[in-house]
Amino acid sequence: MTLKQDQSRKLYEQALQYIPGGVNSPVRAFKGVGGNPLFFKGGEGAYLIDSDNNHYVDYVGAWGPLILGHCHDQVIAALSQQLQTGLGYGASTEAEVAIAKRLCELVPSLEKVRLVTSGTEATMSAIRLARGFTGRDLVVKFEGCYHGHVDGLLVKAGSGALTLGEPDSSGVPRAYTELTHVLCYNDSQGVANFFTEYGNKIACLIVEPVAGNMNFVPPAPEFLRTLRQVCNDSGSLLIFDEVMTGFRVALGGAQALYDVIPDLTTLGKVIGGGLPVGAFGGREDIMDCIAPVGSVYQAGTLSGSPLAVAAGLAMLDVISEPGFYDRLTDQTARLLAGLCERAEAAGVPFTTNQAGGMFGCFFSTEQSISHFSQVMQCNMQHFQAYFHHMLNNGVYLAPSAYEAGFVSSAHGEAEIKLTLDAAESAFVAIASSQSTHP
Ligand SMILES: *Cc1c(COP(=O)(O)O)cnc(C)c1O
C-alpha cells in the first residue's frame, strides 16, 4: 500500500521556496530516511492527520511534549480560558508562581526554578549560571547527548547533527568549543580519570540522565552515581538536562527514577503541554546567583507566557493522577514486547530500550544497547525500510534512526494493535529483502 501524499508534496515544494530546506527545524526533514517530509493539519489523541487527510498513530508527540496526546480536553479547556483573559503582560502572574511551586514539589532537585521559552535557553542559562557560581570555565558533556543549539554545546551533539552527517556546526568559533570537553556516555572510569586531572577547572558536567538524542540509551547502573561523586569531589556542578526525560520517564524525571540528585536541572518539552517553554532550576544558593538577585544575567520577553503556563499546569494535574506513569510504562512495554516478538518471528535482528513512556528501537544483533558506538553500528537500511513501511501503513515515527520514540496516554489497545500489525509486515518485508541480498 502506498498512501496518497500529493498535498504534502505540493506544500513541500512551496516551503522549499521560502524556508531553508522547507523546514523550521532540521530534524523535521526526511534527510535520514529519504523522501519528502509530511505536512500536518491536525492531531487527535494518538493520531496525526496530514494535509492529504491520512491518519497516523503518532510516536513523535511533537518530539516529546504531547504525553497526553493531541488536544487533550483539560489542556484545551485551560488554554481557552487563558485566551479570554490575556496572552501576556510582561509582568508577574499568580499562575507562574503556581507552576514554579508544583515543579519544585515534583522534581527532587528543584528548590527554585526560572521559566524560559525553550530547552536551548534553559541549558544555555544553566551553563552560564554554573560558570558564574563556580568561577570556572570548563564544561563537560557526553558524545551523542544533545543540549539544544547552544554554541558551546554543539560538539558531538547527537540526533539532528548525526542525521545530517555534520557532527559539529560551522559558525561556532573554536574558542567557544575549546572550553567544552566531550567524554563517553556510560564510561564511568573515563569520567573519573578526567576529573582526577581537571576537576578543579570544571564548572559543570551536563548530561541527559537517560540519553534520548542518540536513539535511546539508558544510564548504566553506576554511571549517574559516579557523576554525582566526581562533582562532589571537585566542586563542579552536576546538571541533568531533563528537557526530554522530565515528566516523561517518571513524574519526578530521571532523577526520581534513578535517585541521583543533580545541582541544576533543565526542563522543557512536557512541562509546556505542547506550547513553547523551558525551565531551569535547582539549589537555592545557586539559583540566587541569577539577576536580579545575583550577578549572572538572564532574561526573556515571553518567559512565563500565561498560555504556556496554563497548558503546563493543566497537564501537570493530569499526569499527577495516581497510576498515570504505571499505565504509560505498561503500555509502552506492551508495544515493545510486541515489536520484539514480531521481529524475532521474522528473523530480523532487533532490540529495544525503554524508560517510562520513552523508548528506542535498534536494528542490531546486540542483546542490549548501552553505548553510542553500538547505536552507530545499527543497520541503517533496515531502519529506512521499516520507517517507510510503517509510514505507509499509518504509523508516524521520527524520520531518523537517532531519535527516541514517545508513547502518550492516548495510545490505547487499538493503536498498539495497528502499530504491531504494520510492524509485522515490515519485518517480513525486511527479512525477505535480506534473503535476496545476502
Ligand atoms: C529537545 C532538547 C533540548 C532543546 O530544547 P529546544 O526546546 O528544542 O530548544 C535540549 N536538551 C534535550 C535533552 C533535548 O531533548
Side-chain angles (χ1 to χ4, degrees):
M1 173 169 80
T2 303
L3 293 179
K4 197 162 124 356
Q5 292 163 345
D6 299 348
Q7 194 60 22
S8 276
R9 207 160 303 132
K10 218 177 288 170
L11 288 169
Y12 182 52
E13 277 162 26
Q14 290 171 20
L16 284 171
Q17 279 180 41
Y18 300 107
I19 302 172
V23 290
N24 275 320
S25 184
V27 296
R28 298 177 193 175
F30 272 30
K31 258 190 125 158
V33 290
N36 302 334
L38 296 185
F39 282 65
F40 293 99
K41 64 177 190 184
E44 282 173 18
Y47 293 89
L48 272 171
I49 303 153
D50 76 7
S51 299
D52 292 277
N53 270 324
N54 300 305
H55 286 52
Y56 305 86
V57 180
D58 179 14
Y59 289 101
V60 178
W63 300 95
L66 299 184
I67 196 163
L68 302 178
H70 295 268
C71 299
H72 188 277
D73 290 350
Q74 275 169 261
V75 175
I76 299 301
L79 276 172
S80 307
Q81 197 177 2
Q82 187 57 47
L83 277 173
Q84 309 303 317
T85 46
L87 303 184
Y89 318 105
S92 301
T93 64
E94 185 177 343
E96 72 187 0
V97 184
I99 199 167
K101 181 165 179 281
R102 288 293 295 283
L103 292 173
C104 290
E105 286 165 359
L106 292 171
V107 181
S109 66
L110 298 191
E111 293 174 1
K112 283 190 175 172
V113 62
R114 181 162 280 178
L115 295 181
V116 293
T117 313
S118 71
T120 296
E121 255 186 276
T123 57
M124 178 185 79
S125 305
I127 297 275
R128 182 182 304 146
L129 175 57
R131 285 173 164 155
F133 179 81
T134 58
R136 303 172 180 176
D137 290 339
L138 291 190
V139 171
V140 174
K141 75 176 286 291
F142 294 96
E143 185 174 30
C145 284
Y146 177 66
H147 304 293
H149 61 104
V150 180
D151 280 335
L153 295 175
L154 274 180
V155 191
K156 305 203 169 173
S159 57
L162 283 173
T163 308
L164 299 178
E166 291 163 11
D168 304 292
S169 173
S170 60
V172 177
R174 174 159 302 157
Y176 289 20
T177 54
E178 269 170 7
L179 295 171
T180 308
H181 286 259
V182 182
L183 301 175
C184 286
Y185 193 84
N186 273 341
D187 175 13
S188 298
Q189 193 55 52
V191 173
N193 294 346
F194 189 78
F195 271 74
T196 302
E197 191 153 353
Y198 300 103
N200 62 1
K201 296 191 173 62
I202 298 168
C204 61
L205 184 160
I206 186 168
V207 63
E208 291 181 69
V210 178
N213 285 287
M214 45 165 141
N215 198 321
F216 178 90
V217 178
E222 83 297 347
F223 182 61
L224 298 179
R225 283 195 299 276
T226 301
L227 304 187
R228 182 65 276 176
Q229 191 58 49
V230 296
C231 285
N232 286 350
D233 294 346
S234 61
S236 314
L237 299 188
L238 178 59
I239 305 177
F240 276 7
D241 181 356
E242 298 227 44
V243 170
M244 187 182 284
T245 54
F247 300 97
R248 170 53 74 176
V249 299
L251 185 57
Q255 56 198 269
L257 190 63
Y258 295 98
D259 195 24
V260 175
I261 309 304
D263 301 297
L264 293 174
T265 298
T266 55
L267 296 166
K269 297 194 170 116
V270 166
I271 62 163
L275 271 74
V277 84
F280 66 103
R283 268 166 48 193
E284 183 171 16
D285 60 325
I286 304 172
M287 290 303 288
D288 280 343
C289 291
I290 307 169
V293 192
S295 59
V296 177
Y297 195 69
Q298 186 278 328
T301 303
L302 298 175
S303 293
S305 151
L307 283 174
V309 168
L313 276 171
M315 194 258 342
L316 287 172
D317 280 344
V318 181
I319 66 179
S320 302
E321 285 166 12
F324 179 89
Y325 283 91
D326 292 341
R327 282 194 299 277
L328 188 69
T329 303
D330 286 352
Q331 197 72 324
T332 308
R334 218 177 350 254
L335 169 73
L336 298 181
L339 290 176
C340 289
E341 254 171 49
R342 283 157 182 77
E344 195 177 345
V348 174
F350 181 83
T351 186
T352 63
N353 280 333
Q354 181 198 353
M358 192 173 157
F359 65 90
C361 291
F362 307 88
F363 288 90
S364 170
T365 50
E366 307 266 1
Q367 288 300 308
S368 76
I369 303 282
S370 56
H371 286 96
F372 178 77
S373 58
Q374 295 172 309
V375 176
M376 298 312 287
Q377 282 158 14
C378 289
N379 189 317
M380 199 52 72
Q381 284 76 38
H382 285 188
F383 172 76
Q384 289 171 352
Y386 179 72
F387 172 85
H388 284 290
H389 190 100
M390 295 299 270
L391 191 68
N392 269 318
N393 287 278
V395 179
Y396 190 71
L397 305 170
S400 163
Y402 307 116
E403 301 287 359
F406 303 101
V407 171
S408 82
S409 57
H411 288 67
E413 292 311 314
E415 288 72 37
I416 303 283
K417 181 174 184 320
L418 190 155
T419 307
L420 293 179
D421 288 348
E424 183 167 333
S425 57
F427 291 133
V428 169
I430 289 167
S432 70
S433 73
Q434 223 174 356
S435 57
T436 50
H437 310 283

